[in-house]
Amino acid sequence: MSEFADDVQAVFEAAGADEATATTAAEKLAAFREDYDEELTADAVEQQFADAPDEAFVHAYDWLVGHLAAENDDCTDSREYRLEGFDSFAADPAIGA
């Protein structure tokens, strides 16, 4: 993993995520960073994550990704970067593609 992913994983573990979940979340966020926001820092992630309105890690992480995507005009679908991005209630990702 990259230094960014390692730093973000530590943030997520400090927030209560188990190691496997923190690793997956860090890898997904690193992919988001590579695709949409190369200047995103682990410190910015930590500060924004602290503002998440939900204490459950998965929901807080998904909120973070949605928040970051909303700030980026190029990201119109952030589900692939979320931990619970595609589920039975989500829109079919193949429609409109």
Side-chain angles (χ1 to χ4, degrees):
M1 282 198 309
S2 67
E3 182 179 343
F4 172 80
D6 290 341
D7 292 346
V8 170
Q9 179 178 347
V11 168
F12 294 156
E13 287 179 3
D18 61 72
E19 184 177 354
T21 302
T23 299
T24 300
E27 289 170 351
K28 286 180 174 274
L29 197 57
F32 174 85
R33 179 179 186 250
E34 184 176 317
D35 292 343
Y36 294 105
D37 190 357
E38 293 181 358
E39 296 186 19
L40 182 63
T41 65
D43 288 337
V45 168
E46 184 173 23
Q47 290 172 354
Q48 290 186 32
F49 189 75
D51 293 337
D54 198 319
E55 290 186 26
F57 178 79
V58 171
H59 297 298
Y61 171 80
D62 285 349
W63 173 87
L64 171 69
V65 171
H67 184 75
L68 293 171
E71 292 178 346
N72 189 304
D73 293 336
D74 294 332
C75 185
T76 58
D77 186 355
S78 63
R79 291 177 295 169
E80 71 179 281
Y81 306 104
R82 297 173 187 241
L83 292 175
E84 293 187 352
F86 297 101
D87 61 16
S88 60
F89 298 106
D92 184 341
I95 294 175

